[in-house]
Amino acid sequence: MRADAVRGHLDGLLLAVLEPGPLHGYAIIAAVQHRSGGALELRTGTIYPALNRLERLGLLSSSWQSSGERRRRCYELTDAGRRTLASERTAWSEFTTAIGSVLNPAAPPGFAT
């Protein structure tokens, strides 16, 4: 899938995969890829700036966690992040309905071609 297809929806994707609980960066990338059936492959150079921005906006919080000798920054949704995710879902639904109406129009009842 083209990278520009994700543009404008990255925040919603990141918030959605963090909804079940905290994840570190690589796990976020893997979750997006898994949930999209492999269609979406995000790069670290794409997600880390977005995660940092979402944290600055108060939509995520982060903490360092250790896994063996490795330290990883884990991100999780804040209450504001959950509210924003709900808004993103509503906006996505409205967007897909509008685009679907144009790309796959259904003839109105009683309309003859």
Side-chain angles (χ1 to χ4, degrees):
M1 186 167 288
R2 294 188 328 246
D4 62 340
V6 175
R7 196 169 298 133
H9 304 289
L10 181 60
D11 291 359
L13 295 172
L14 296 176
L15 295 174
V17 298
L18 288 166
E19 185 177 30
L23 294 172
H24 58 82
Y26 178 76
I28 293 169
I29 292 170
V32 169
Q33 187 172 17
H34 175 75
R35 287 172 65 167
S36 70
L40 300 176
E41 292 185 33
L42 301 179
R43 297 182 177 158
T44 57
T46 300
I47 71 148
Y48 285 109
L51 291 169
N52 290 331
R53 182 176 42 75
L54 293 171
E55 187 172 19
R56 281 192 313 274
L57 292 172
L59 304 180
L60 299 179
S61 63
S62 68
S63 61
W64 287 100
Q65 296 184 0
S66 295
S67 175
E69 292 185 22
R70 190 172 206 174
R71 290 186 63 204
R72 296 177 173 171
R73 184 172 285 284
C74 289
Y75 299 87
E76 65 182 311
L77 289 180
T78 62
D79 289 340
R82 291 184 191 288
R83 288 190 299 273
T84 299
L85 176 56
S87 295
E88 289 281 337
R89 285 184 168 138
T90 299
W92 176 253
S93 178
E94 292 169 355
F95 176 77
T96 56
T97 297
I99 296 299
S101 296
V102 174
L103 293 178
N104 299 309
F111 183 78
T113 55

